[in-house]
């Protein structure tokens, strides 16, 4: 039995943001977020470019919530229900009290401190509600913006895996950052 349950869905709130379930009405924002080649340049996944692909992506998110395998929140600004990004926990290993964090923000909302605020919020959820001991983040080493935000949030570099993934005809590196619960400062 896992120490957490995502049903009912846990809506969250922080200083400037709210976090709710990703819904079918977020189709256009999912396409804008996951269909933007620049936004996806460091994420080895296919672009989401049409309504069917966006609906499949939303369904995949909901299926993981329903099965307690992962959770994603739509990030919204307080007072505006429009999704501006997605953040969540993946690859949850309850037997090891460890999970992965991932996040994306629409370009118009970047460089406002929203990612840092969102990371702090979902880290608190992971450590206090899900009872995780550590949270990891896997990033492309060229993604210096993500590296900076992770370091700002107390994550430390655990490993640099060389050419450990093959995507789109290229071998790519992965850097693993992590944060232990005892080092989490909120």
């Amino acid at each position: 039995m896992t120490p957490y349950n995502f049903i009912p869905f846990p809506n969250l709130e922080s200083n400037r943001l709210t976090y709710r379930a990703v819904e079918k009405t977020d189709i256009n924002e999912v396409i804008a977020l996951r269909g933007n080649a620049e936004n996806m340049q460091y994420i080895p996944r296919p672009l989401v470019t049409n309504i069917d692909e966006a609906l499949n992506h939303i369904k995949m998110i909901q299926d993981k919530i329903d099965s307690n395998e992962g959770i994603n929140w739509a990030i919204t600004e307080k007072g505006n229900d429009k999704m501006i990004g997605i953040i969540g926990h993946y690859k949850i290993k309850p037997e090891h009290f460890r999970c992965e964090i991932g996040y994306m923000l629409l370009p118009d909302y970047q460089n406002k401190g929203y990612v840092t605020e969102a990371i702090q919020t979902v880290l608190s959820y992971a450590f206090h509600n899900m009872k995780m001991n550590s949270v990891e983040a896997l990033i492309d080493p060229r993604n210096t913006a993500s590296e900076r935000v992770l370091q700002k949030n107390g994550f430390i570099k655990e490993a640099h895996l060389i050419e450990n993934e093959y995507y789109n005809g290229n071998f790519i590196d992965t850097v693993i950052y992590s944060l232990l619960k005892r080092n989490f400062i909120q």
Side-chain angles (χ1 to χ4, degrees):
M1 175 86 179
T2 57
Y4 54 86
N5 188 342
F6 303 135
I7 307 294
F9 187 84
N11 292 313
L12 305 175
E13 186 176 317
S14 61
N15 187 37
R16 300 175 293 164
L17 305 169
T18 56
Y19 312 84
R20 60 165 174 77
V22 179
E23 301 168 352
K24 289 181 182 178
T25 55
D26 298 316
I27 289 174
N28 292 331
E29 289 76 19
V30 169
I31 293 170
L33 191 65
R34 306 263 327 176
N36 179 323
E38 186 175 333
N39 220 32
M40 292 288 292
Q41 68 181 319
Y42 301 121
I43 300 172
R45 302 287 180 270
L47 297 178
V48 172
T49 59
N50 61 53
I51 291 172
D52 287 338
E53 291 171 352
L55 286 172
N56 285 336
H57 188 74
I58 293 167
K59 182 181 181 325
M60 181 263 312
I61 288 171
Q62 187 57 52
D63 288 348
K64 289 193 182 299
I65 291 167
D66 291 344
S67 64
N68 257 4
E69 293 177 54
I71 185 167
N72 279 279
W73 289 271
I75 303 169
T76 67
E77 293 176 300
K78 280 190 176 174
N80 185 352
D81 198 46
K82 178 188 172 200
M83 185 181 89
I84 63 169
I86 295 176
I87 190 165
H89 295 299
Y90 317 87
K91 298 179 186 168
I92 302 170
K93 301 173 188 169
E95 70 277 15
H96 300 297
F97 300 89
R98 186 170 174 105
C99 65
E100 182 180 335
I101 190 170
Y103 43 85
M104 293 185 75
L105 206 58
L106 289 169
D108 290 348
Y109 298 91
Q110 295 174 4
N111 300 312
K112 297 182 179 197
Y114 284 166
V115 170
T116 295
E117 185 174 331
I119 287 173
Q120 285 290 306
T121 303
V122 299
L123 282 174
S124 179
Y125 184 84
F127 292 134
H128 298 112
N129 298 81
M130 295 172 64
K131 308 300 184 205
M132 294 292 114
N133 182 61
S134 64
V135 176
E136 67 184 11
L138 279 60
I139 64 168
D140 185 309
R142 299 168 296 167
N143 191 347
T144 56
S146 192
E147 181 178 48
R148 280 192 307 272
V149 79
L150 290 169
Q151 290 170 343
K152 184 177 184 179
N153 280 283
F155 283 74
I156 59 165
K157 186 176 181 178
E158 282 191 346
H160 185 138
L161 306 175
I162 309 234
E163 296 183 359
N164 67 307
E165 285 196 35
Y166 184 76
Y167 182 74
N168 243 9
N170 298 301
F171 289 100
I172 55 176
D173 292 5
T174 302
V175 174
I176 302 171
Y177 275 84
S178 73
L179 178 66
L180 296 174
K181 181 178 182 176
R182 69 175 172 254
N183 297 329
F184 177 56
I185 300 169
Q186 194 171 11

